[in-house]
Every structure is written in C-alpha cells, then in structure tokens.
Amino acid sequence: MSSPELCFLSVHELSEKTRAREISPRETVEAHLAQIDKLNPEINAFITVCHEEAAAEAALAEEEIGSGKYRGPLHGIPIGVKDIIDTEGILTTQGSSFYPRNVPAKDAECIRRLREAGAIVIGKCNTHEFAAGSTTKNPHYGACANPWDTSRVPAGSSGGSGAAVAARMCPGALGTDTGGSIRGPAAICGVSGLKPTYGRVSLSGVFPNSTSLDHIGPLARSARDCALILQGMAGYDPADSASADMPVPDFSAEIEDGVEGLRLALCPDLIQIDIDQSVERAFTEAVEVLRGLGANIETVACLFAEELNTERRPIADAELLAVHRDNLDKFPEKFGDDVRARLENARRTTLDSYIEALRKRVILTRKAEALFEPYDGLLLPGYVCVGAPIETVTATVNGKEVPFLGASRPLSGPHNFTGFPAQVVSTGFSPNENMPVAMQIVGLPGAEARIFRIAHAYEQATPEVRNRLPEILKS
C-alpha cells in the first residue's frame, strides 16, 4: 500500500492493518505528515505540526507492537488536537494573542489517556480565538479553510479539527463543544463528530470557555471511528469538578446491531430557527432511510423547548466573561473584534440571571430526560446551512443573508445545556454549492453507544455520501 493511500483509511481500518502488521505506525505517521505538508498551506487546519515528536512516538509504537506490546485500536494512530487542549512540550496557543509561546508542562487528562492507549499527537489544530466563536476565522493565526471549498469557513470553534479530518491530514481529531463547536465543523466539513455526555471526558488541562457547558469529543470520518477515540479518553477524573463518575461501556459493542425496532423521535419544537432547504431536504431523506431500515419514528412535542435556549445564554456569557474579565479590562485590544464584542455583551449578564438559569437547568434537564426517555434517539438537522464565505462570513439561508457566527447555536446549544450526548453525521450535499449538510442524533446521558449504533446504521446505508471527496483531494 502506497503512503498516500494510508491517508484515506479510517481509524478502524488503520487499526486493523496495524494490529496485523500489514502497515507500521511509522508509515502511517509519515503519510499523514506529508499530507499536512501538502495541504496545510492552503487549508491552515494546523497551527503547529509535530514532525519530530510524532515521528519519535511512531518509532516507539512500532517497537512496542513489534515486541508484542499492542495497546489496542489507537496504538500508532495519529490524532489532531484542538489548540486549547494542553499537550506536554508542544505549543498550545488557545488560538489567541495572549499565549503565543505557551508550552504546557503536562498533558491534559484526555491526552494522557489517549497516549496511554497508544495514540500519537500529530499536531495542534486551528481554532476560533479562545474557542469563542463558530467561524475559525482566527485573527492571530489565520483563517482555516473548508476542504470542500477553500473560500468558505469550516465552522467552529473546532474548525481546524474538522478540516484536518476532511482533508485526510489525520484520521481523527479532538474538539471541544460549548454550543456546537464539535458538531458544527463535523456538519460543515462533511465528517462525523460527537459531543459526549457532559462529564464523560475530563476537562482537566483544557482552556475553559463555559465550564458547565464545555465538552471534549472526537471528530473522525465515521461513527465507528468516533467510538474508538472516545473509548481511549473517557472515564472519571477526580481532579475535574465537572467529571461524571459513570461506568465506561464498550462504545462499539452494539454498533453493528442496526436500528430495526428502535424508537426515534422528531421534535419540530427544538428547531427554533430557519433551516435552509438543502439541509431540510437531506434531513427528511435521512429520516426515511432510517425508517426504511426498520426504525419506528414518531413526532413528539416539547413545550419547554424555547427555555432551553433562553436559559443557556446567561450561563454561557457569565462563565465566559469570568475567564476573560481581567484581560478584557487590561488588554481589550489583544482580542479579535468578534470575541471582544461578545465579551463586552456578556457584561450585561447579571448575577441573578446566572443563578436563576443554573436553577432552571436542573428542572428543564429533568423534564427533557422524562420526555425523551421512551426513545432511543432524537433526530434533528445538523446545521442550519452550508459553510459561509471566509471573506464575508455571511451565510445564505433560503435566499436570505444571515451572519454565520452563532447561526446554528439555537439548534445545537440546548444539548450543551442538558448535557445530552449528540452525534453529527453527514447526510449529503447542497445541490448548488456542493457543500456538506448533516443530521444530528441526540441521546439520553450515557447513551453514546446507542447513538453510535444509529449513526453507523445510517452511514452503512448511504455509502455514496461517505465515498465522495473534496476536489482538493483529487489533485
């Protein structure tokens, strides 16, 4: 197998071939580093590329596997890491002007676990400044481009992670999600991405955005790959106050079981924003695919849907401002315009509204759990539109121009508020722009394995979507 071909294999495929010693970690890492060197100048998915470090880790992995010390499915697999997640000895900028030379002394807990599982950090992925926006048009490290159309954004804030996976620079990457920052890039870049249950993955060593809404999760090219990456980093961390002490199941255990007999819900009340026809059409077709596979699909009303968005905002704003208030007071000019504006707006959030929102979240989450308890999953569109032009950052939704920044947060944010896990899977392409569109699958807390099962069944039934490649990969 030639080196370029290795970049087109999934995490699962690379893992199987590595375990069988058909390929080596060194070959895999070298192939992906070459792909980064080839495409990153145009896409700018990576702020830092770990040429020497990744090569050394690959050599060690090769030695371990050769001596019979195989660690599991992630051994020798290169992973991109969003640049707000600490990596020992590797520049971690937070996508900001405040940390241009920040080299952490230790790994974030999620990275420590992935390294223990044998994964290799291949580089640090571009992000919206401080992960505080949805375009990844970074004023300090340059805009990240969407591999499907390099004049367009990859969404954000984990845009570099989504773009890197879509461009085959790495088979999987880590992102963070406070209001849709994993799911947005997954949808807009045509890959798969999971926001796990709140507390499923430790936040230790991750620069905070809104600590009670922050999640860490994988982006990859399939639900199966996301399951493998999640397996490597999930688990209780007593050093993280947000960590949930819950059992860690085998996330891939039921992935081949299909959807026949499963109860899936549609909830129009949770779609509180105009959805472009291209997204809506592909979503409707995806629902019918799942119905054709044997799923029972029902429509359910959610009378408190509007409150999920209303009460999320004070929490997001108050907690973000708490992180940045001192720097905003002393060095406002060091923030990008959009992030500074967001922080200034957050000053209007009162302590009373924040405390009340925290109280209401408990009640509303209980209501949501009761409402969706009979169902195996909730189906929603993945994003409101396709990626907007980098130059204008203005999206088109059913012929109307709207700001892309924050456009889809009403669709994704409620699941940060409740902490429910949510997976995005690509459903096709817009007919005019040839840009990816997607579906979101939401489950109850702890139900990642069931979500992966639903997503995998859909992916297996729609290979034509998965087999389509960006033009940039055909040259």
Side-chain angles (χ1 to χ4, degrees):
M1 178 172 288
S2 68
S3 291
E5 289 177 305
L6 294 176
C7 295
F8 290 83
L9 298 181
S10 66
V11 171
H12 175 67
E13 290 166 335
L14 288 168
S15 175
E16 291 291 297
K17 290 183 179 297
T18 300
R19 184 177 63 173
R21 302 191 193 179
E22 295 175 17
I23 59 175
S24 73
R26 202 168 347 204
E27 290 173 318
T28 300
V29 166
E30 287 175 356
H32 286 90
L33 286 172
Q35 184 80 337
I36 293 171
D37 290 342
K38 177 183 177 182
L39 295 180
N40 201 55
E42 184 171 0
I43 295 176
N44 197 30
F46 285 92
I47 292 175
T48 300
V49 183
C50 303
H51 288 94
E52 294 180 4
E53 299 92 339
E57 290 180 39
L60 177 60
E62 192 165 323
E63 181 181 327
E64 290 178 337
I65 294 169
S67 62
K69 298 177 182 177
Y70 181 66
R71 300 191 189 193
L74 296 181
H75 204 171
I77 304 299
I79 300 292
V81 178
K82 187 175 182 178
D83 206 28
I84 68 164
I85 302 173
D86 283 354
T87 42
E88 181 181 351
I90 301 170
L91 180 67
T92 303
T93 70
Q94 330 300 355
S96 77
S97 65
F98 288 90
Y99 297 91
R101 292 176 292 278
N102 175 50
V103 179
K106 62 183 289 189
D107 285 328
E109 177 63 13
C110 61
I111 300 300
R112 186 194 69 78
R113 292 181 186 225
L114 286 173
R115 288 193 196 275
E116 283 290 316
I120 296 169
V121 175
I122 202 166
K124 303 303 292 291
C125 296
N126 202 349
T127 173
H128 203 102
E129 181 183 16
F130 285 121
S134 55
T135 67
T136 318
K137 188 175 180 179
N138 192 299
H140 313 295
Y141 300 96
C144 181
N146 192 314
W148 291 93
D149 179 347
T150 55
S151 72
R152 294 175 181 264
V153 300
S157 58
S158 308
S161 299
V165 172
R168 274 53 176 179
M169 296 181 189
C170 54
L174 297 192
T176 62
D177 192 312
T178 307
S181 287
I182 289 170
R183 290 161 290 158
I188 296 297
C189 293
V191 299
S192 188
L194 174 83
K195 179 197 78 64
T197 302
Y198 182 71
R200 171 68 85 185
V201 179
S202 172
L203 295 171
S204 294
V206 179
F207 197 90
N209 184 316
S210 173
T211 50
S212 71
L213 301 173
D214 290 346
H215 301 66
I216 301 170
L219 295 97
R221 294 199 295 275
S222 70
R224 186 194 293 275
D225 285 0
C226 286
L228 292 174
I229 298 171
L230 180 63
Q231 198 74 54
M233 61 179 174
Y236 178 58
D237 175 15
D240 172 23
S241 62
S243 184
D245 190 2
M246 65 173 74
V248 178
D250 179 350
F251 295 115
S252 303
E254 59 180 83
I255 203 161
E256 297 285 359
D257 290 352
V259 296
E260 186 171 1
L262 295 188
R263 293 182 70 187
L264 305 180
L266 301 175
C267 186
D269 294 333
L270 285 170
I271 306 175
Q272 299 174 22
I273 191 168
D274 195 19
I275 306 292
D276 192 73
Q277 288 182 358
S278 63
V279 178
E280 187 66 46
R281 188 180 303 112
F283 174 67
T284 300
E285 291 172 358
V287 169
E288 291 309 308
V289 168
L290 290 168
R291 197 190 307 274
L293 292 173
N296 299 311
I297 299 176
E298 307 167 26
T299 300
V300 61
C302 180
L303 302 181
F304 52 89
E306 187 174 346
E307 292 181 82
L308 298 175
N309 272 314
T310 302
E311 301 302 334
R312 187 199 65 83
R313 189 58 188 262
I315 297 173
D317 285 350
E319 293 181 354
L320 181 69
L321 181 62
V323 173
H324 297 287
R325 184 185 287 107
D326 286 349
N327 280 335
L328 182 63
D329 290 340
K330 297 174 184 176
F331 312 107
E333 73 285 352
K334 294 186 70 173
F335 290 95
D337 291 344
D338 63 330
V339 174
R340 182 172 59 251
R342 182 177 172 189
L343 289 168
E344 291 291 358
N345 184 67
R347 290 186 190 274
R348 303 173 186 171
T349 304
T350 67
L351 180 60
D352 287 351
S353 66
Y354 173 65
I355 293 173
E356 179 66 4
L358 292 177
R359 184 190 70 80
K360 287 185 176 178
R361 178 165 61 181
V362 176
I363 304 302
L364 290 169
T365 299
R366 289 173 184 166
K367 287 184 176 181
E369 288 176 342
L371 179 63
F372 295 111
E373 193 277 332
Y375 299 98
D376 295 290
L378 165 67
L379 307 177
L380 295 163
Y383 213 85
V384 300
C385 59
V386 301
I390 293 172
E391 184 177 358
T392 64
V393 201
T394 298
T396 302
V397 179
N398 296 324
K400 298 178 183 177
E401 291 190 345
V402 298
F404 187 84
L405 188 67
S408 208
R409 199 168 293 127
L411 193 60
S412 54
H415 315 301
N416 296 85
F417 183 76
T418 62
F420 289 7
Q423 172 88 21
V424 155
V425 56
S426 186
T427 52
F429 301 86
S430 61
N432 297 326
E433 301 95 339
N434 190 34
M435 294 294 291
V437 295
M439 169 174 63
Q440 189 175 188
I441 306 168
V442 183
L444 290 174
E448 289 92 349
R450 185 59 52 86
I451 293 174
F452 290 139
R453 173 180 168 181
I454 298 165
H456 179 72
Y458 175 76
E459 288 174 343
Q460 293 298 105
T462 55
E464 67 281 0
V465 176
R466 255 51 55 192
N467 293 336
R468 198 159 168 180
L469 294 175
E471 288 296 322
I472 199 171
L473 296 180
K474 298 176 183 178
S475 57

